[in-house]
Amino acid sequence: MTRTTPPASLLARVFKSAAVIEPFEVKAVILSMLYFFFLFGSYSVIKPVRDAMGTVYGIERIQELFTGTFIASFLFAPLYSGLASRIKLSTFLPWVYGCVAASIVVFYALFAFGEAQDRWVAAAFYIWVSTFNMLILSVFWTFMADLFSRTQAKRLFGFVAAGGTLGGIAGPAIATFLVKLVGTNNLMLIAAVGFIVTAILVSMLAHEKQNLQAAGSEVQPTTLNHRLGGNPFDGFVLLLRSPYLLLFALFLLLMTWISTIMYIQLGDLITKAFSSREARTQAYASIDLVVNSCAVLIQLFGTGRIISRFGVNTGLLLNPLIMVVAFIAIVFSPVLLVLGGIQIIRRVAEYAVAKPTREMLFTVVDQASKYKAKNVIDTVIYRFGDVSSAWLSSFILPFGVTGLAIFGVIVSAAWFPIAYLLGKRYESVRSGEQVSGTASAAK
C-alpha cells in the first residue's frame, strides 16, 4: 500500500528538525510523550514520599524492605503474565494504571485514618510502590517497543523519553513546593489522578497504532486486539530459553547493583544530614528535579542523533564507564556533596542515553517476550539485583561509604564487557528478524 504524505504542519517541521521525526509519526510521538509525562510525573510525586517512608522504617534496615519488594515482585510477575494471557491487551494495559491509582487511594486512607508514623504501614507502602514502579515503567517501554519499529526506535526513543523526564521535573517540583503546604499524604491523591489520566492516554495510543497500520505507515506489525495466551509462568520460561534475554538480564542485574549501592550510600548520608521526614522528602525531590532538568535537553535534541551516529553499543557502555570513574572519586571523598553530584551525573546519563538505548533492544523480540519475559526481567530480576546488592552492602557498610565505593568499582568493571557483548548481539540481528524466547531463535 502506498501512503500519501500530506503537507507537513509547522509542528511536524519543528519535530523533524529537533529529532528527525516524520510528519506521520508526530501524533503517535506526542501521545507517547504525554503518556510518559503523566506516568513518570505521577510516580515522581510519590517517589520522594516512598523514600521518606523508607527512612521511617529505618535506613539501616533498608535491606529488609528490598527483600520484601523482591518477594512481592516475584509473586506479582505470574499474576501479571496470567492476566495478559487472558485479557485483550488493548483492555489490559489501561487497567494496569487504573489499578495502581486505586491502590494509592487505599494507602492514602490508611495514612489519613491510622497512625502516620506506623513503621509497618510505611514498610508496606514502600514495598508496594517499589513493586509497581518497575511494572508501570516496564509496561510503558514494552508498549513503545510494540509500537515503533527498530529503525524508528533509534530516532524516536530519546524524544519519547523526554516526556518522562519532563514529568520527572513536574513531579519533584510539585512534591518540593507542596509537601509543606498540603502534607505528604495529599501528594498521594495528586499521583492517583495522574495515573488515571495515564490510563486514558494508553487507550488513545492503542487506537493511533491501529490508524498507522491502516495507513501503511512504518510501525510494528503486531496488534493489541488479542490475548497473548499461554500461562502465568511463560515469562520465566521465555527468559530461560533465550540467550539474548539472559544476557540482557545479566546486564540489568549488574546495573541494579550499581544503582542500589548509590541509593544506600545517598540514603545514609541524607538520613544523617536531615532529621525530619519532610526535609528528607524535599532533599530527594530536589535531586530528582536537577537530574530531570539536565536530562531533558539531551533527550529532545541529542539522544536520537547520538545513537544513530555512534550506535547502540555507545549508549550501553556509557554508564559503566561513568561509574568506574565515579566510585573512584567517592573512595577519595565520601561526602554528601560529592555523592549527590555523582548521583546526578549517573542518572542524567541513564535517563538521556542509557535507558532509551536499553529499551531499543526489545524492538527485535517477539510480542510474547516483550510483554512477558521483559516484565520478569524488569521486575523480578531488577528487584533480585536490589535485594542481593542490599544485603551485600549491609555487610560492607561497616567499612563505610569508601568500602561500598570499592565494591562499586569492581561491579562496574564487570558490567562493561557484558554491555559490549549485548550491544554486539543486538547489532547482529538482521533487519526484519525477531529474537523469540526459544534457544534456537536466539542463536
Side-chain angles (χ1 to χ4, degrees), residues 14-83:
V14 171
F15 272 42
K16 185 174 177 64
S17 174
V20 200
I21 299 172
E22 300 298 335
F24 72 91
E25 298 168 333
V26 169
K27 185 175 181 181
V29 170
I30 291 176
L31 284 173
S32 298
M33 290 182 69
L34 287 173
Y35 170 10
F36 205 10
F37 173 84
F38 279 97
L39 167 62
F40 203 66
S42 302
Y43 169 65
S44 295
V45 168
I46 211 166
K47 179 177 179 290
V49 180
R50 180 208 67 172
D51 292 337
M53 291 301 176
T55 64
V56 169
Y57 184 77
I59 197 68
E60 71 282 355
R61 301 176 68 181
I62 195 72
Q63 68 272 14
E64 297 175 7
L65 296 179
F66 283 173
T67 302
T69 300
F70 168 66
I71 293 171
S73 299
F74 188 84
L75 295 175
F76 197 78
L79 175 61
Y80 170 87
S81 183
L83 291 172

Side-chain angles (χ1 to χ4, degrees), residues 55 66 76 143 219 245 252 259 283 334 374 405:
T55 64
F66 283 173
F76 197 78
F143 194 4
V219 289
L245 295 176
L252 191 70
S259 61
K374 186 179 190 303

Side-chain angles (χ1 to χ4, degrees), residues 289-361:
L289 183 59
V290 173
V291 167
N292 291 306
S293 299
C294 294
V296 67
L297 291 177
I298 301 174
Q299 291 171 326
L300 286 172
F301 303 107
T303 303
R305 288 181 168 86
I306 290 170
I307 296 172
S308 297
R309 174 76 179 275
F310 299 104
V312 167
N313 245 347
T314 299
L316 294 176
L317 291 170
L318 181 61
N319 260 9
L321 181 61
I322 288 174
M323 291 317 300
V324 169
V325 177
F327 280 122
I328 291 174
I330 294 171
V331 169
F332 291 100
S333 186
V335 296
L336 180 58
L337 182 63
V338 171
L339 190 58
I342 288 172
Q343 178 76 323
I344 289 170
I345 294 171
R346 180 192 72 83
R347 289 175 58 193
V348 168
E350 166 71 12
Y351 293 160
V353 180
K355 177 66 173 177
T357 303
R358 199 163 65 244
E359 299 302 339
M360 293 175 194
L361 302 177

Side-chain angles (χ1 to χ4, degrees), residues 182-244:
V182 303
T184 300
N185 290 351
N186 287 323
L187 292 178
M188 298 165 67
L189 292 182
I190 296 173
V193 172
F195 282 120
I196 292 172
V197 175
T198 300
I200 295 171
L201 289 167
V202 172
S203 296
M204 294 174 63
L205 192 57
H207 183 68
E208 177 61 15
K209 177 178 179 176
Q210 288 182 320
N211 292 339
L212 289 171
Q213 288 176 327
S217 301
E218 180 191 1
V219 289
Q220 292 279 11
T222 52
T223 176
L224 300 176
N225 294 320
H226 70 102
R227 303 172 181 85
L228 289 176
N231 65 73
F233 299 98
D234 280 345
F236 294 95
V237 174
L238 292 167
L239 171 59
L240 293 174
R241 287 181 177 177
S242 172
Y244 179 77

Side-chain angles (χ1 to χ4, degrees), residues 1-5 214-217:
M1 180 185 295
T2 303
R3 178 174 50 81
T4 302
T5 304
S217 301

Side-chain angles (χ1 to χ4, degrees), residues 65-80 127-135 236 375-384 386:
L65 296 179
F66 283 173
T67 302
T69 300
F70 168 66
I71 293 171
S73 299
F74 188 84
L75 295 175
F76 197 78
L79 175 61
Y80 170 87
I127 289 171
W128 173 235
V129 174
S130 299
T131 299
F132 80 63
N133 76 328
M134 299 312 304
L135 170 67
F236 294 95
N375 175 63
V376 171
I377 294 171
D378 288 344
T379 58
V380 178
I381 299 299
Y382 192 101
R383 291 312 182 192
F384 174 74
D386 276 346

